[in-house]
């Protein structure tokens, strides 16, 4: 990756701010962290600050010149409503608190570029006061970053209409970055964005994962089992354990990463089953340096989240993806397109079932799958390079306007 340095119009070094609402899971924080690391590596004078609601943000290490502000957490109830994760406040109060903290951080940090992950108005509109302030000041560049798949077009259109996200996207954002390729999937295909906004869209390619040094892997060979954050990984983990329980000759052994949100009684039950398998499956808790486990694996069985998919491609690992189907079809859409392109194999709940036999067959077939690199198209993993080039252009453009 080429290195450059850019002075901002004020003469100070560049400041990049990320907003990541993170009500649940790891995806938004991990994506922001990867982008911040790439930007600060490409420009040794730049710094980055990530605003995140992730309850596990403190467990991550952050690169030099990258820091984070932890917003009060919220959690989604079974009925779809939200509540404060810990503090004794109602959802309206905690949203107001988060919104005030965001605005204060924006005022004090004074970013040159604000990159907003997925939610144009933020969680329950909490970002709008900061967006309006930055629009009035007219100095910072505002970017909306979208993953390759958001949801079914009709569902997404209804959601964005409810959140008034179309109007916010058209009004506030100078650029929209899609962290994927249009030839694979267009997450905005069902959204009535005007022509001017569509012209501001950039297709970056997927975000390559090569963060940090790769440590010593566990004893090889093994396949890596990862449900991502783990909160919705019960069915997949159960299916893998059932496969090893049913077939005593199933090889190679498996290394299971539970994820920080797979815990309590369910994890205790899985631990008991793992112990009974006599070392054929071993398990670890949350693994912030999962790159090491990916790098040493003979293959991967995983869910279909964006970050895990990027890791599969980056480390060029044969993979079986078991996508979740609720609360949105994002993972299924991604996995089915990837399977069509020959990048991975998918275990489809409807087509293949979630039986132990289906998983046994998939694991036994893993060594015979093509590598993702055999099916990759040009530019597929160019996302970080594209983003760092866009940051340079945005900062350079700001400098030219200041000089002119």
């Amino acid at each position: 990756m080429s290195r450059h340095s850019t002075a901002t119009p004020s003469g100070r070094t560049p400041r990049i701010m990320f907003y990541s609402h993170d009500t649940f899971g790891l995806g938004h924080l991990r994506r922001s962290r990867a982008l911040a690391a790439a930007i600060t590596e490409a420009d040794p004078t730049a710094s980055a600050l990530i605003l995140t609601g992730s309850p596990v943000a403190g467990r991550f290490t952050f690169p030099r010149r990258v820091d984070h502000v932890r917003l009060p957490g919220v959690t989604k109830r079974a009925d779809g409503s939200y509540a404060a994760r810990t503090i004794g406040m109602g959802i309206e109060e905690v949203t107001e608190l988060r919104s005030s903290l965001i605005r204060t951080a924006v005022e004090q940090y004074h970013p040159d570029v604000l990159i907003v992950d997925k939610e144009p108005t933020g969680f329950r509109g909490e970002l709008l006061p900061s967006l309006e302030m930055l629009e009035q000041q007219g100095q910072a560049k505002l970017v909306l970053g979208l993953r390759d798949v958001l949801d079914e077009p009709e569902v997404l259109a209804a959601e964005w209409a409810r959140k008034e996200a179309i109007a916010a996207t058209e009004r506030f954002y100078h650029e929209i970055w899609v962290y994927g390729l249009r030839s694979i999937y267009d997450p905005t295909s069902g959204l009535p964005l005007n022509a001017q906004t569509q012209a501001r869209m950039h297709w970056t390619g997927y975000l390559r994962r090569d963060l940090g040094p790769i440590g010593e892997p566990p004893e090889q060979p093994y396949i890596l089992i990862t449900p991502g954050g783990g909160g919705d990984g019960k069915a997949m983990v159960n299916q893998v354990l059932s496969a090893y329980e049913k077939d005593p000759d199933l090889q190679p052994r498996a290394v299971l990463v539970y994820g920080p949100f797979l815990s309590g009684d369910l994890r205790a039950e899985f631990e008991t089953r793992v112990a009974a398998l006599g070392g054929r499956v071993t398990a670890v808790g949350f693994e912030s340096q999962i790159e090491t486990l990916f790098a040493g694996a003979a293959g991967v069985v995983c869910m279909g989240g964006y970050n895990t998919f990027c890791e599969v491609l980056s480390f060029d690992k044969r993979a079986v993806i078991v996508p979740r189907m609720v609360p949105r079809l994002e993972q299924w859409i991604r996995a089915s397109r990837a399977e069509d392109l020959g990048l991975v194999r998918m275990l489809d709940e409807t087509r293949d079932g979630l039986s132990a036999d289906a998983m046994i067959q998939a694991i036994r077939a893993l060594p015979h799958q093509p590598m993702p690199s055999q099916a990759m198209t040009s530019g597929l993993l160019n996302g970080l390079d594209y983003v760092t080039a866009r940051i340079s252009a945005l900062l350079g453009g700001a400098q030219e306007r200041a000089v002119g």
Side-chain angles (χ1 to χ4, degrees):
M1 189 177 294
S2 61
R3 285 175 166 245
H4 58 271
S5 60
T6 309
T8 62
S10 63
R12 60 170 169 78
T13 56
R15 297 179 184 178
I16 316 299
M17 177 176 275
F18 292 84
Y19 166 83
S20 173
H21 69 291
D22 285 298
T23 57
F24 187 67
L26 293 175
H28 307 288
L29 173 61
R30 295 193 67 213
R31 184 160 50 246
S32 296
R33 176 173 164 262
L35 289 163
I39 290 167
T40 54
E41 181 185 345
D43 183 348
T45 67
S47 66
L49 183 64
I50 301 173
L51 309 182
T52 174
S54 172
V56 296
R59 298 201 216 173
F60 281 96
T61 57
F62 289 85
R64 287 182 63 246
R65 291 176 286 108
V66 178
D67 210 336
H68 71 287
V69 172
R70 165 85 161 81
L71 302 172
V74 294
T75 186
K76 197 169 190 175
R77 294 177 170 140
D79 64 2
S81 65
Y82 286 92
R85 183 176 285 275
T86 51
I87 55 179
M89 300 178 77
I91 192 61
E92 298 294 340
E93 292 175 297
V94 80
T95 303
E96 186 65 31
L97 174 58
R98 284 168 54 111
S99 184
S100 296
L101 290 170
I102 292 166
R103 181 175 172 128
T104 298
V106 170
E107 284 178 326
Q108 298 296 320
Y109 188 63
H110 198 63
D112 299 295
V113 181
L114 171 64
I115 302 173
V116 173
D117 192 76
K118 182 182 174 286
E119 296 286 347
T121 64
F123 174 69
R124 294 174 62 88
E126 68 184 1
L127 200 56
L128 284 170
S130 294
L131 294 175
E132 289 166 355
M133 179 181 68
L134 290 171
E135 179 189 47
Q136 289 168 5
Q137 293 173 347
Q139 295 176 338
K141 286 299 186 181
L142 308 183
V143 176
L144 177 63
L146 303 176
R147 63 183 181 232
D148 59 336
V149 183
L150 296 170
D151 205 339
E152 298 170 272
E154 300 79 11
V155 174
L156 182 66
E159 179 184 327
W160 276 44
R162 187 177 71 253
K163 295 178 177 179
E164 299 182 353
I166 292 290
T169 301
E170 293 178 344
R171 172 183 168 184
F172 294 115
Y173 291 98
H174 298 93
E175 294 190 359
I176 297 97
W177 299 344
V178 180
Y179 305 126
L181 292 182
R182 192 170 199 165
S183 58
I184 294 180
Y185 193 80
D186 181 354
T188 68
S189 61
L191 299 176
L193 295 169
N194 63 33
Q196 297 94 321
T197 304
Q198 291 182 41
R200 299 198 295 271
M201 291 182 64
H202 293 260
W203 301 81
T204 69
Y206 288 87
L207 303 177
R208 183 182 66 252
R209 293 306 152 92
D210 53 3
L211 287 181
I214 300 300
E216 188 69 27
E219 181 184 346
Q220 296 170 304
Y222 65 89
I223 60 171
L224 174 63
I225 315 298
T226 171
D232 52 7
K234 174 184 176 181
M236 188 203 76
V237 173
N238 176 68
Q239 191 181 9
V240 170
L241 293 179
S242 298
Y244 279 88
E245 290 163 345
K246 184 169 185 177
D247 184 350
D249 298 320
L250 188 58
Q251 294 291 332
R253 72 185 189 91
V255 174
L256 166 62
V257 180
Y258 283 121
F261 301 113
L262 199 161
S263 57
D265 293 343
L266 179 60
R267 177 162 169 177
E269 174 196 327
F270 284 152
E271 291 278 15
T272 300
R273 294 171 65 185
V274 166
L277 285 166
R280 296 174 56 231
V281 177
T282 56
V284 296
F286 175 54
E287 179 58 66
S288 63
Q289 291 296 326
I290 199 169
E291 292 87 358
T292 292
L293 296 179
F294 257 99
V300 180
V301 178
C302 58
M303 296 182 68
Y306 179 87
N307 292 284
T308 304
F309 182 60
C310 287
E311 284 158 344
V312 165
L313 298 181
S314 299
F315 291 106
D316 199 21
K317 296 298 176 180
R318 299 178 172 94
V320 175
I321 292 182
V322 187
R324 71 180 184 193
M325 307 290 281
V326 292
R328 57 182 75 242
L329 280 182
E330 168 221 340
Q331 292 195 5
W332 184 89
I333 294 169
R334 178 179 298 113
S336 61
R337 282 296 293 138
E339 184 178 67
D340 290 345
L341 294 167
L343 294 166
V344 301
R345 161 120 191 252
M346 175 174 68
L347 273 187
D348 182 353
E349 183 177 331
T350 305
R351 182 190 68 191
D352 307 304
L354 294 179
S355 68
D357 287 333
M359 182 59 74
I360 290 168
Q361 291 176 7
I363 291 174
R364 287 193 174 280
L366 252 179
H368 310 293
Q369 283 182 213
M371 309 284 279
S373 57
Q374 294 175 247
M376 282 189 196
T377 56
S378 175
L380 186 67
L381 281 173
N382 283 1
L384 294 179
D385 291 329
Y386 194 102
V387 163
T388 56
R390 288 311 310 153
I391 289 289
S392 180
L394 289 173
L395 293 173
Q399 189 177 37
E400 287 167 16
R401 285 192 303 280
V403 172

